[in-house]
């Protein structure tokens, strides 16, 4: 498009699950615990130890609304010793796809990964330039959610009251506690071993929390989950295939070639020649997942690619993590 496509690297290197092995390196490898007291680092047979790069302990203040919950600290911590401590959650800071990130663990298992700003990059071999901030620091975000989960657990909350629903007003999936939103699962808040589908990520996050906090049975589906666009009234007028990529966060809110304001959460795409407004059905040939999108932008203009999907469209067919993939494009029209 007129806006260069975003690209995501191969998802096989899932730094959120094992960030200490990430090729992109670690920000600090520090762990945040919602424990009121330090945790022993005595070795445990058969355990894997994750430690901070600093020997000092620093504090991060709790959410103002949850002063009664334990005050989290950044400290050298052995995950295997968590069971002997009062806290059930810890947070690890790390890098993910060249972005700042933090993963929230509940009872030693990764549940949520929060993505922040891009890491500083070398520009023209002269100076380091940091990308603009994308909002809250991921460690602080993870810490706030961990504090809420600690309070819920200490108050003997019913894990069956952990649920997930679709919020049509915000067009996002919400994990809830007792009907109150806990977190929105989207492109910046994901399952550590993400499926690249926000709906599946949200459902798995809710089910992991239900099991880890109260051994509640898993949910089968998402309340109010939207259906995929129907294309049954449209006929296929032509078919082509090629490599598709996607674009989104850096261009959200900017004007596209059609004059529309680009919305990364809408089901749209860019193509070099198809008329604006044309609907196409895109099939990811690696998994046969499909999405119907509307052409409202021009591009891509390089790299041998034939289509640029919005971030939401790429996520819906499992293309977001890989960045590019072979697709079949069916141009739809009235019979």
């Amino acid at each position: 498009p007129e806006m260069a496509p975003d690209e995501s690297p191969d998802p096989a290197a899932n730094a959120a699950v094992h960030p200490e092995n990430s090729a992109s390196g670690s920000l600090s490898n520090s762990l945040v615990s919602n424990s009121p007291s330090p945790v022993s680092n005595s070795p445990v047979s058969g355990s894997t130890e994750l430690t901070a790069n600093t020997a000092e302990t620093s504090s991060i203040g709790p959410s103002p609304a949850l002063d009664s919950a334990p005050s989290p600290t950044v400290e050298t911590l052995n995950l295997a010793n968590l069971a002997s401590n009062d806290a059930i959650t810890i947070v690890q800071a790390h890098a993910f796809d060249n972005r700042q990130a933090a993963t929230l663990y509940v009872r030693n298992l990764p549940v949520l990964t929060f993505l922040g700003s891009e890491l500083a990059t070398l520009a023209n071999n002269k100076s380091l330039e940091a990308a603009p901030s994308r909002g809250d620091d991921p460690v602080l975000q993870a810490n706030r959610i961990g504090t809420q989960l600690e309070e819920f657990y200490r108050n003997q909350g019913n894990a069956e009251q952990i649920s997930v629903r679709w919020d049509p007003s915000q067009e996002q999936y919400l994990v809830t506690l007792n009907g109150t939103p806990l977190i929105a699962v989207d492109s910046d808040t994901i399952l550590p071993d993400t499926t690249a589908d926000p709906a599946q990520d949200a459902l798995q996050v809710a089910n992991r929390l239900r099991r880890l906090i109260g051994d509640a049975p898993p949910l089968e589906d998402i309340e109010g989950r939207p259906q995929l666009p129907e294309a049954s009234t449209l006929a296929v007028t032509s078919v082509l295939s090629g490599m598709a990529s996607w674009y989104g966060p850096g261009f959200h809110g900017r004007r596209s070639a059609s004059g529309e304001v680009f919305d990364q959460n809408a089901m749209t795409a860019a193509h070099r020649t198809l008329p604006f407004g044309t609907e196409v059905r895109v099939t990811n040939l690696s998994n046969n997942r499909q999405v119907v999108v509307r052409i409202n932008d021009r591009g891509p203009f390089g790299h041998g690619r034939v289509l640029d999907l919005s971030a939401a469209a790429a996520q819906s067919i499992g293309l977001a993590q890989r960045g590019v993939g072979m697709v079949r494009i069916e141009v739809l029209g009235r019979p």
Side-chain angles (χ1 to χ4, degrees), residues 18 120 196 230 232:
H18 298 291
E230 292 288 342
S232 59

Side-chain angles (χ1 to χ4, degrees), residues 158-160 162 206-208 210-211 214-220:
N158 183 354
E160 293 190 5
I162 299 173
N207 282 335
R208 288 184 188 184
R210 287 167 66 92
R211 177 170 59 88
D215 200 25
L219 300 169
E220 297 295 331

Side-chain angles (χ1 to χ4, degrees), residues 152-223:
F152 181 80
Y153 173 74
R154 293 174 191 284
N155 289 335
Q156 298 183 337
N158 183 354
E160 293 190 5
Q161 297 303 312
I162 299 173
S163 189
V164 58
R165 61 181 171 84
W166 169 254
D167 182 352
S169 62
Q170 299 296 321
E171 295 188 343
Q172 58 188 3
Y173 295 97
L174 298 177
V175 176
T176 62
L177 294 179
N178 293 323
T180 301
L182 172 70
I183 190 69
V185 178
D186 52 27
S187 59
D188 291 329
T189 305
I190 62 176
L191 191 73
D193 47 333
T194 181
T195 65
D197 180 347
Q200 289 302 316
D201 276 13
L203 185 59
Q204 290 198 38
V205 166
N207 282 335
R208 288 184 188 184
L209 290 175
R210 287 167 66 92
R211 177 170 59 88
L212 294 170
I213 290 179
D215 200 25
L219 300 169
E220 297 295 331
D221 205 355
I222 298 172
E223 179 185 347

Side-chain angles (χ1 to χ4, degrees), residues 23-236:
S24 57
S26 172
L27 293 181
S28 66
N29 285 336
S30 60
L31 294 174
V32 179
S33 170
N34 287 318
S35 167
S37 59
V39 178
S40 168
N41 280 317
S42 57
V44 177
S45 175
S47 68
T48 300
E49 186 173 36
L50 301 179
T51 60
N53 288 333
T54 176
E56 296 184 358
T57 298
S58 60
S59 297
I60 298 178
S63 172
L66 297 169
D67 290 337
S68 60
S71 177
T73 59
V74 180
E75 57 189 13
T76 301
L77 183 66
N78 186 331
L79 280 177
N81 288 338
L82 186 60
S84 65
N85 187 31
D86 289 338
I88 65 167
T89 64
I90 56 173
V91 171
Q92 183 184 19
H94 57 91
F96 183 90
D97 288 353
N98 296 320
R99 294 173 63 180
Q100 299 175 6
T103 293
L104 173 67
Y105 289 75
V106 178
R107 298 190 187 279
N108 303 0
L109 295 178
V111 174
L112 278 164
T113 291
F114 300 81
L115 305 180
S117 302
E118 294 181 6
L119 299 173
T121 57
L122 189 64
N124 299 324
N125 295 324
K126 294 180 180 179
S127 62
L128 288 175
E129 293 185 354
S133 173
R134 295 194 180 196
D136 288 345
D137 180 275
V139 172
L140 296 180
Q141 293 182 70
N143 180 62
R144 283 198 297 267
I145 300 306
T147 302
Q148 292 183 61
L149 292 173
E150 289 285 352
E151 185 176 75
F152 181 80
Y153 173 74
R154 293 174 191 284
N155 289 335
Q156 298 183 337
N158 183 354
E160 293 190 5
Q161 297 303 312
I162 299 173
S163 189
V164 58
R165 61 181 171 84
W166 169 254
D167 182 352
S169 62
Q170 299 296 321
E171 295 188 343
Q172 58 188 3
Y173 295 97
L174 298 177
V175 176
T176 62
L177 294 179
N178 293 323
T180 301
L182 172 70
I183 190 69
V185 178
D186 52 27
S187 59
D188 291 329
T189 305
I190 62 176
L191 191 73
D193 47 333
T194 181
T195 65
D197 180 347
Q200 289 302 316
D201 276 13
L203 185 59
Q204 290 198 38
V205 166
N207 282 335
R208 288 184 188 184
L209 290 175
R210 287 167 66 92
R211 177 170 59 88
L212 294 170
I213 290 179
D215 200 25
L219 300 169
E220 297 295 331
D221 205 355
I222 298 172
E223 179 185 347
R225 182 173 183 168
Q227 300 299 312
L228 291 176
E230 292 288 342
S232 59
T233 60
L234 301 177
V236 177

